[in-house]
């Protein structure tokens, strides 16, 4: 009788270990967590670039001091144009002629630490390919989905829900798309900004 209990306990423990291992593997596959930095170790190849209002006649500028282990840059907006801008872009393809797009649809959130001097409100963007609008040679024609976040003078963690972004009305109007069309595609992304 004692041999029967030992066998039953051994089978139970074996099944318990197998169940725990399978549960761990399932959780690892469901909750994928990959870092983009350091850039040379990233699961998704990328590079950091800045885009300024120079294309529309502005003279705003940016200087990058770190883009390998994280991102650190300074920017200066000028008043040469009505809407000056500087965009920090994590590009997954060449912005001038994007052929290879990235599928980030298996990720639910983007999480990062951020610090700004002075305090500011920034916009997180996903730039995705829109079959009706996008010209691969024109970075500005990629559909933009966005979320706003505060950036303080002390480090803080920001988490963006990638499934609940908004396409700005100004982009839809500029692209002659109905303002109610809030679609964007995480399976064909050229960059985040």
């Amino acid at each position: 009788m004692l041999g029967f209990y030992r066998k039953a306990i051994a089978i139970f423990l074996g099944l318990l270990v197998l169940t725990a291992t399978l549960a761990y593997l399932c959780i690892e596959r469901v909750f994928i967590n990959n870092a983009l930095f350091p850039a040379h170790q990233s699961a998704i190849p990328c590079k950091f670039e800045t885009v300024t209002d120079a294309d529309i006649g502005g003279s705003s500028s940016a200087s990058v001091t770190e883009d390998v282990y994280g991102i650190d840059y300074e920017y200066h907006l000028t008043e040469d144009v009505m809407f000056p801008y500087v965009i920090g872009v994590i590009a997954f393809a060449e912005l001038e002629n994007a052929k290879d797009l990235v599928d980030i649809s298996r990720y639910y959130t983007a999480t990062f630490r951020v610090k700004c001097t002075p305090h500011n409100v920034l916009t997180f963007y996903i730039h995705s390919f829109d079959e009706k609008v996008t010209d691969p040679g024109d970075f500005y024609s990629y559909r933009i989905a966005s979320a706003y976040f505060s950036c303080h003078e002390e480090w803080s963690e920001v988490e963006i829900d990638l499934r609940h972004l908004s396409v700005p009305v100004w982009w839809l109007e500029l692209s002659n798309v109905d303002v109610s069309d809030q679609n964007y595609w995480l399976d064909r992304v050229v960059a985040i900004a």
Side-chain angles (χ1 to χ4, degrees):
M1 191 66 139
L2 190 58
F4 172 76
Y5 287 122
R6 284 186 180 164
K7 234 182 206 180
I9 290 173
I11 291 172
F12 173 75
L13 290 175
L15 288 174
L16 185 64
V17 169
L18 178 63
T19 301
T21 303
L22 289 174
Y24 173 78
L25 291 174
C26 288
I27 289 171
E28 282 294 306
R29 294 216 182 257
V30 170
F31 299 106
I32 300 167
N33 184 5
N34 289 317
L36 292 177
F37 294 94
H40 61 279
Q41 294 177 353
S42 175
I44 304 171
C46 62
K47 66 178 179 175
F48 183 72
E49 300 180 33
T50 57
V51 177
T52 70
D53 55 21
D55 291 352
I56 59 170
S59 61
S60 297
S61 62
S63 62
V64 179
T65 56
E66 170 63 39
D67 65 354
V68 175
Y69 294 97
I71 299 172
D72 187 7
Y73 70 102
E74 293 183 16
Y75 64 91
H76 177 73
L77 296 177
T78 61
E79 296 179 7
D80 299 347
V81 293
M82 185 180 275
F83 299 107
Y85 62 87
V86 170
I87 306 170
V89 179
I90 299 172
F92 303 118
E94 293 298 323
L95 297 181
E96 298 81 24
N97 192 11
K99 293 177 185 164
D100 299 318
L101 303 174
V102 172
D103 181 355
I104 61 169
S105 61
R106 60 188 182 155
Y107 300 97
Y108 296 121
T109 60
T111 306
F112 50 93
R113 292 180 42 78
V114 65
K115 179 171 102 168
C116 297
T117 304
H119 169 265
N120 208 334
V121 174
L122 302 178
T123 310
F124 175 90
Y125 291 114
I126 294 278
H127 297 263
S128 64
F129 184 84
D130 182 327
E131 291 175 353
K132 296 177 185 168
V133 177
T134 302
D135 168 7
D138 180 7
F139 175 67
Y140 298 105
S141 70
Y142 284 85
R143 183 174 284 243
I144 297 171
S146 64
Y148 294 101
F149 62 94
S150 289
C151 186
H152 305 280
E153 294 182 2
E154 299 297 323
W155 287 104
S156 62
E157 188 165 297
V158 174
E159 183 173 283
I160 304 290
D161 186 341
L162 299 178
R163 297 163 297 164
H164 296 99
L165 303 175
S166 300
V167 179
V169 171
W170 64 263
W171 186 91
L172 293 165
E173 288 178 345
L174 188 67
S175 303
N176 295 316
V177 176
D178 189 296
V179 295
S180 66
D181 184 350
Q182 289 292 305
N183 292 315
Y184 59 95
W185 300 273
L186 295 176
D187 62 341
R188 40 188 153 161
V189 173
V190 69
I192 58 177

